[in-house]
Amino acid sequence: MTRPAARAAGPAGMGSLCVLMASVLWGTTGTAATFAPAVGPLAIGAAAMGLGGLLQALVAAPRIAGERPALRARRGVVLLGALAVGAYPLAFYSSMRLAGVAVGTVVSIGSAPLASAVIERVVDGRRLTPRWTAGAALGLTGTVLLCAAEAADAHTGAGATVLGVGLGLAAGLTYALYSWAAHRLISRGVSSGAAMGAVFGLGGLLLLPVLLATGAPLLHSWSNAAVGVYMALVPMFTGYVLFGWGLAHVPASTATTLSLLEPAVAAVLAVLVVGERLPLLGWAGIVLVVGCLAVLTMPARRRSAARAATTAPPVIVDEHMLPQADRG
């Protein structure tokens, strides 16, 4: 009975690794945006998520066409995910501009696991495991410490910070929504490429008017254009391809919790590249986030197998049922 669990641990571990790799790429967006200070947050968000989403749809076009009946049957989920994709970058990058890179990232990503858990509990009836609860508690505590450390050094006004935090919470909710929508499609038999391509492609179409209205500064200099191209190709396109692969093997609540690595990466890059200072409290927060990732990704196979061996009831074999037992 332990062999199926052993086989399942591999894909789950690979899914977690894909989400962590995506989180590292996402963690570079705040630092990258500082190299284009003349470009507004709406333009940055629309270029990154809009162009990246359209590129995902283009690459996945054959799969989307082949799985059109399955996508059409779940068009409500696809549309919900697309609306969330369209709203997320506008709220996220505006939050970073108003409250600061670290605070905006921490609030946006830090609130997503709780939103994902609520969505899965209400819609799917999924019960939260003690392991997820412990990991989420560590990660959220770490993000709160990181947020407090960065807020102490922030030079923005109180009103702007409060508005930025509010937009960050909206970003966290929309992030949880499109993560849930993509996972829902994948768990219902739609391939990862078709699910992510459909959801992000439609979301990219919704962002095109925003990009046309606000994106002119991206063409004012080569550095601005390079930032836009980088954001679309690396963190958004590549990152969300990896995220889609991860969602094929782990629940959305686990994926959004693993993505708590993003604010830690963003804070470290802000120190190493941008030259920001991170207080001791912030480093303590990063340690707790790493602890969260360790709790969620460490193998639990042996513990589960030992528990099963000690608690499993004795098996009574009926000789007439032996062929069925062998097949089980």
Side-chain angles (χ1 to χ4, degrees):
M1 295 297 294
T2 60
R3 288 183 181 178
R7 285 195 297 266
M14 182 58 66
S16 297
L17 179 61
C18 287
V19 174
L20 292 175
M21 292 171 63
S23 301
V24 171
L25 296 181
W26 296 337
T28 67
T29 58
T31 297
T34 62
F35 290 95
V39 181
L42 298 183
I44 287 287
M49 208 79 154
L51 298 180
L54 291 175
L55 184 57
Q56 281 201 58
L58 180 63
V59 172
R63 289 189 177 183
I64 294 174
E67 301 178 44
R68 187 179 304 168
L71 292 169
R72 186 182 295 114
R74 296 165 179 82
R75 54 184 174 274
V77 176
V78 174
L79 181 58
L80 176 63
L83 290 173
V85 166
Y88 170 76
L90 307 182
F92 177 56
Y93 289 100
S94 296
S95 174
M96 286 197 299
R97 182 62 61 94
L98 290 169
V101 171
V103 173
T105 304
V106 165
V107 173
S108 300
I109 306 305
S111 61
L114 293 180
S116 289
V118 171
I119 293 170
E120 290 185 351
R121 187 73 180 95
V122 172
V123 180
D124 300 330
R126 177 184 291 274
R127 301 187 65 177
L128 304 180
T129 65
R131 181 186 179 118
W132 180 90
T133 303
L138 279 175
L140 291 174
T141 302
T143 55
V144 167
L145 292 180
L146 186 56
C147 183
E150 291 293 332
D153 285 350
H155 301 292
T156 57
T161 300
V162 170
L163 180 58
V165 168
L167 288 171
L169 293 174
L173 175 60
T174 52
Y175 174 33
L177 279 173
Y178 69 69
S179 299
W180 173 85
H183 183 268
R184 179 86 166 188
L185 293 171
I186 294 169
S187 65
R188 295 301 187 272
V190 180
S191 69
S192 171
M196 298 297 284
V199 169
F200 280 79
L202 286 177
L205 287 176
L206 295 176
L207 287 167
L208 277 184
V210 180
L211 179 59
L212 293 175
T214 63
L218 287 167
L219 304 178
H220 288 174
S221 69
W222 285 107
S223 61
N224 289 355
V227 168
V229 170
Y230 170 80
M231 300 277 261
L233 291 180
V234 180
M236 295 307 150
F237 174 69
T238 306
Y240 278 104
V241 168
L242 290 168
F243 189 66
W245 291 344
L247 284 175
H249 302 295
V250 298
S253 56
T254 299
T256 52
T257 305
L258 289 171
S259 65
L260 290 173
L261 179 62
E262 177 183 347
V265 172
V268 171
L269 287 178
V271 172
L272 297 179
V273 179
V274 182
E276 294 183 3
R277 175 182 172 273
L278 186 64
L280 182 61
L281 192 64
W283 290 109
I286 290 177
V287 170
L288 288 179
V289 169
V290 173
C292 155
L293 303 178
V295 168
L296 291 177
T297 57
M298 71 171 59
R301 232 179 353 175
R302 294 181 180 177
R303 188 188 313 160
S304 299
R307 187 184 298 114
T310 57
T311 61
V315 178
I316 300 175
V317 179
D318 185 340
E319 61 180 357
H320 298 292
M321 298 297 293
L322 190 57
Q324 288 85 345
D326 288 342
R327 285 197 296 271

